[in-house]
Structures are given as C-alpha cells and as structure tokens.
Amino acid sequence: MSIAAVIPAAGRGVRLGPGAPKALRTLGGIPILVHAVRAMTHARAVSLVIVVAPPDGVAEVSALLDSHGLPEAKDIKIVAGGETRQESVRLGLAALPDDIDVVLVHDAARPLVPVEMVEAVAAAVRDGAPAVVPGLPLADTVKEIDPATGAVVGTPERALLRAVQTPQGFDRATLVKAHATITSDVTDDAGMVEQLGIQVLVVPGHEEAFKVTRPLDLVLAEAVLARRRAADVF
C-alpha cells in the first residue's frame, strides 16, 4: 500500500501568544513544522508528505522546507489551506495522487513524534483497520461537569479513557467519505469517522508525541530535544 502523510499547518496558534504561526515557531533553532515533516519523512512507510500551509504562506513554507535539508528521496508537496483544520485536511486530501491507499494525518504542533509510532499507526491500517489513532492512558482523574453551573455530574472510569495523539491513520476512502459527509465541527479526523459508524482502533501512543500548544509545552519540547541531541537520537 502507498502511504501519504497530510500535515495541516495553516493555523495561527494563538495560545502560544502573538508572533509567527505556531508551526513556524522554532524548537532548538529549527521551526516546529520542519521537525514534524522530518518525523514523517523518516518513516519508511511514508512515500509522500503533503504540508497544508496558510493560504497566503505557501511560498514561505516552501522556502522554509527547502532551506532545512529534508530528504530528497521523499516527495514533499505544499498546498494552500483553509480557514479551519477540517477544510485544510480536506484540501490536503484533494492534492493526493490516485495511487495513495493510506493517509496519515499529523498535527504540525507535534514535532517530536517518534518514528516508530508513525510506523505502528501505518502498520495497523495496512493490517486492515479503517481508522487508527495512537493514545495514552490518563494520569489524572477526569470529571464531567455541567457547563452552566460548573458542578460535577460524573466521574468517567479512567482506565477506559485515552488521550489521543497523532498521526492518525486511515484507509483513504474512509477518510475521504468522512470529510465529504461530516460538516459539524470536530476536534480530530477520527471523530468524523466515528460519526460514520466506523470503528476506530487505538494503538499505544508515546509521551514525546505531545502537542506544543502553550509556552510551557515549548519548554518541555526543548528539554526533550536537548536530551535527544545529547544521546544522538532523533
């Protein structure tokens, strides 16, 4: 099966504060987006990476990736995104060549995802799962609340919950159908597939695949990257 990764990177990342879009902030002197693209290109299973750039930033993102020595053996394509993440992923899907069978959708804001986790998600789709997400058990107890009052209305059993990460992997036809069918706002692509009544498989995630969303996340990411560089492991 031919596998492509779609990286939506058209958002502004306002929770990191003013300045450049989140995907263009630097981590260890290198833009977060470059780290995320490298993780996908280092995965042997991935033959093509589609980067979905801000609508007015295609040339900037293209120049950025060209300047950071990404593997020439892997095909990397940059396309313009939309106003929402869903629209950006849909535009990324539209740019895929016909021979792609499996699609991995990866957050640009998860720059340190280990390659072995990418390979595990891809392998699960190749083995027949129409939709696959990596997930981690929760360390904290979770409370369900009444949003109007803030009162606790329930405590879900923590052992049954997972914090979902990316890349999320899909049979291409399944993901295309989900984006053509589901118009409600969702937080991830697997949620769209769930609304089609299709089962989503969870495989083990990784602690280093966390999302860089707030300033403290960037501090943690710098520490992880420094440890990797000291050990010469990327």
Side-chain angles (χ1 to χ4, degrees), residues 202-215:
V202 178
V203 298
H206 196 286
E207 290 182 348
E208 292 182 3
F210 62 90
K211 193 173 186 179
V212 177
T213 302
R214 297 175 176 85

Side-chain angles (χ1 to χ4, degrees), residues 3-6 48-50 77 79 89-104 172 175-176:
I3 301 176
V6 174
L48 167 67
V49 178
I50 302 285
K77 183 185 296 185
V79 301
V89 173
R90 180 178 57 78
L91 291 169
L93 290 174
L96 293 174
D98 293 339
D99 64 344
I100 295 297
D101 306 297
V102 176
V103 182
L104 307 181
R172 178 181 180 170
L175 186 58
V176 168

Side-chain angles (χ1 to χ4, degrees), residues 1-6 39-48 74 100-106 113-135 165-172 201-205:
M1 291 184 175
S2 296
I3 301 176
V6 174
M40 297 300 110
T41 60
H42 288 168
R44 288 178 296 175
V46 176
S47 60
L48 167 67
K74 293 294 178 80
I100 295 297
D101 306 297
V102 176
V103 182
L104 307 181
V105 182
H106 182 59
V113 56
V115 172
E116 59 266 26
M117 197 180 95
V118 180
E119 299 281 8
V121 171
V125 181
R126 278 198 306 250
D127 288 344
V132 178
V133 298
Q165 302 173 314
T166 71
Q168 299 183 354
F170 305 91
D171 167 78
R172 178 181 180 170
L201 176 68
V202 178
V203 298

Side-chain angles (χ1 to χ4, degrees), residues 118-160:
V118 180
E119 299 281 8
V121 171
V125 181
R126 278 198 306 250
D127 288 344
V132 178
V133 298
L136 288 176
L138 300 185
D140 297 322
T141 296
V142 175
K143 299 291 185 181
E144 182 182 357
I145 67 166
D146 179 341
T149 64
V152 172
V153 297
T155 304
E157 186 177 346
R158 189 171 61 185
L160 302 179

